[in-house]
Amino acid sequence: MKIEKGNPGYIKAQKRKYLIWTLAEFAIVIAVFVFGYIQTGTKKNLFTVVAAVGCLPAAKMMVEFIVTYPHKGIDEEKYYEITEKAPLILCLYDMLISSPQKLMPVDVMAISGHVLCGYTSCLKTDEVFLSKYIKKVLEDNHYDKMTVKMFHDYKMFLARVEGMNNIASVEQPENNRREQKIRDILFTLCM
């Protein structure tokens, strides 16, 4: 079963996919090289060139694996708690936001109306930089007047999400289309 971007378990699934593809591609490269060596009795053949060129996509997959390896997704308990406390809010889980300067893991982002808030358990993530970066990207896509706030404190995030859920219970459903478009913009920032 394929786990889509924005769902819990996405980072773990991506790590598994990158590892399998890396091993498979390097196995093919080795097989091509060995086959060429057995056929010709020397390393100086066309199969060696094909194997060397085949290292490029294998190395790309290996880099993807190395980049995602240190990051983990949201804890299962937190996921269930968020879905229980905020069933009306669009939440995106297990996101790796990439900016030109750095890669920033976000456990969960909640979008409702003109408010976007997120929680990251990674203390290395600069919450102020991440908030400004997302706000700028949204402004560049004509979503002005968005409030963007990232939290390292889970309890503060949960309190904000509960408040957003209370407001969403009163608001009109036409905001769903807007939230889906914001979600699509955020997906373009993610690995």
Side-chain angles (χ1 to χ4, degrees), residues 66-172:
I66 290 169
V67 167
T68 58
Y69 182 75
H71 305 291
K72 60 182 173 88
I74 190 165
D75 296 333
E76 219 173 296
E77 302 85 34
K78 290 179 181 176
Y79 165 71
Y80 288 122
E81 187 175 13
I82 292 167
T83 54
E84 177 187 315
K85 303 243 182 198
L88 302 175
I89 302 295
L90 174 64
C91 291
L92 308 173
Y93 300 93
D94 290 359
M95 300 179 70
L96 291 173
I97 306 287
S98 59
S99 74
Q101 292 85 10
K102 53 181 113 176
L103 184 67
M104 300 162 282
V106 178
D107 294 7
V108 60
M109 282 188 182
I111 308 167
S112 180
H114 292 278
V115 179
L116 184 149
C117 69
Y119 165 71
T120 177
S121 59
C122 179
L123 298 176
K124 292 181 181 178
T125 300
D126 183 0
E127 55 193 8
V128 175
F129 174 80
L130 180 58
S131 298
K132 287 179 182 177
Y133 177 68
I134 291 173
K135 187 172 177 78
K136 172 143 180 29
V137 169
L138 290 173
E139 286 173 355
D140 291 346
N141 286 283
H142 310 292
Y143 286 95
D144 300 326
K145 300 177 184 170
M146 288 289 296
T147 302
V148 180
K149 177 73 176 153
M150 292 294 146
F151 297 95
H152 282 299
D153 185 357
Y154 178 69
K155 297 212 181 287
M156 289 177 65
F157 167 77
L158 197 57
R160 174 70 68 96
V161 168
E162 284 180 288
M164 290 167 60
N165 189 63
N166 292 337
I167 293 170
S169 65
V170 178
E171 286 187 355
Q172 301 298 327

